[in-house]
Amino acid sequence: MPLCADAYSADLSDTIEVVDIADIPGGGQLRLLKSGCDFSIQFGSEELMGSCDHVSEEALATLTCPRLADRDGQVLIGGLGMGFTLSAALDAWSPRASILVAELVPKIVEWAKGPLAHVFAGRLSDPRVTIDVADVHDVIAAASDRFDAILLDVDNGPDGLIQAENERLYCNWGLRSAYGALRSRGVLAIWSAYPAVGFDRRLERAGFDVEAVRVPAFAGSTDDFHHIWFATKAASTL
């Protein structure tokens, strides 16, 4: 359980405390762990997110915004996590933007207002933010030409590690659904801890123009990378 030890040489003598456990709708559990000042959300032995390794989570927002025509509009974020993507989106988009966060696990939202409140630093009270305790798949499926950007960080990558149901987002028809939920020239951005070879071709088959980018897994990393796909919807011909 890293808790930033690999990147920051944290004091491994610190006691690891289980702060809380969250049931995942449909099965499984997440654990919120603490060691010293560091927090970690884990699924089994996998760390899904940590309080100090968040460069790539921020990049999901900061690299998406410049790919859009402007900084206004509607943004959907799949997965609240520790709020690093949300925080970066609030900094990147304009005061006129609207940001909807779909989070499947109710306790993640509770943690954001409780033991992780200092990490969120009041971001949830920003008037641009709406939190919807819902499956982001359902939010996407119900939308049509609604979002200028969809930012997905709901698993460790496009293979449904935490929930097999997450694969609905990344299969051929799930990607076509995301295509339909975006406005003309909208961007679907997908975060992954691994390269997922061939996923770019799946995005292209759904109609997207695709760019794959590697970003450091943590600040200063030169040999450990995370991956983001930026998939742009074709411009409307109307």
Side-chain angles (χ1 to χ4, degrees):
M1 194 270 303
L3 279 171
C4 307
D6 292 340
Y8 295 92
S9 299
D11 183 358
L12 296 182
S13 66
D14 285 340
T15 301
I16 298 173
E17 172 190 353
V18 179
V19 178
D20 200 3
I21 296 175
D23 292 325
I24 303 171
Q29 291 184 325
L30 299 177
R31 294 182 299 155
L32 177 62
L33 307 181
K34 180 182 179 184
S35 179
C37 296
D38 299 329
F39 286 84
S40 174
I41 296 177
Q42 291 206 335
F43 176 73
S45 61
E46 292 281 343
E47 181 178 67
L48 301 180
M49 60 206 73
S51 60
C52 51
D53 292 347
H54 46 80
V55 172
S56 62
E57 287 84 353
E58 292 171 340
L60 183 62
T62 59
L63 296 182
T64 297
C65 191
R67 288 170 163 80
L68 299 171
D70 57 51
R71 299 188 302 118
D72 303 330
Q74 296 195 46
V75 180
L76 171 63
I77 298 177
L80 178 60
M82 291 188 177
F84 296 117
T85 299
L86 171 61
S87 181
L90 288 169
D91 290 340
W93 269 268
S94 82
R96 294 175 296 279
S98 175
I99 300 176
L100 172 63
V101 182
E103 173 54 57
L104 178 66
V105 182
K107 271 204 173 180
I108 295 288
V109 181
E110 293 179 19
W111 294 344
K113 300 175 180 178
L116 296 177
H118 66 291
V119 177
F120 279 82
R123 294 299 214 171
L124 294 183
S125 63
D126 190 295
R128 292 172 289 172
V129 176
T130 300
I131 304 295
D132 188 0
V133 180
D135 190 329
V136 69
H137 167 271
D138 297 337
V139 177
I140 291 172
S144 178
D145 297 311
R146 175 181 176 184
F147 298 108
D148 297 279
I150 299 174
L151 316 180
L152 295 182
D153 179 9
V154 298
D155 216 307
N156 252 24
D159 290 313
L161 168 70
I162 300 173
Q163 278 197 312
E165 288 85 351
N166 285 339
E167 293 183 4
R168 298 178 301 169
L169 291 166
Y170 309 121
C171 68
N172 292 333
W173 57 266
L175 295 175
R176 287 195 296 270
S177 182
Y179 190 93
L182 287 167
R183 292 173 176 165
S184 175
R185 301 303 298 169
V187 174
L188 169 66
I190 297 173
W191 180 97
S192 178
Y194 52 90
V197 176
F199 184 59
D200 52 346
R201 290 191 292 276
R202 196 184 311 167
L203 287 162
E204 290 169 352
R205 287 196 297 269
F208 291 104
D209 295 325
V210 182
E211 180 183 5
V213 175
R214 293 196 315 170
V215 294
F218 54 86
S221 173
T222 58
D223 57 5
D224 190 5
F225 295 93
H226 291 160
H227 305 263
I228 303 175
W229 291 269
F230 298 98
T232 302
K233 182 174 180 175
S236 174
T237 57
L238 297 179

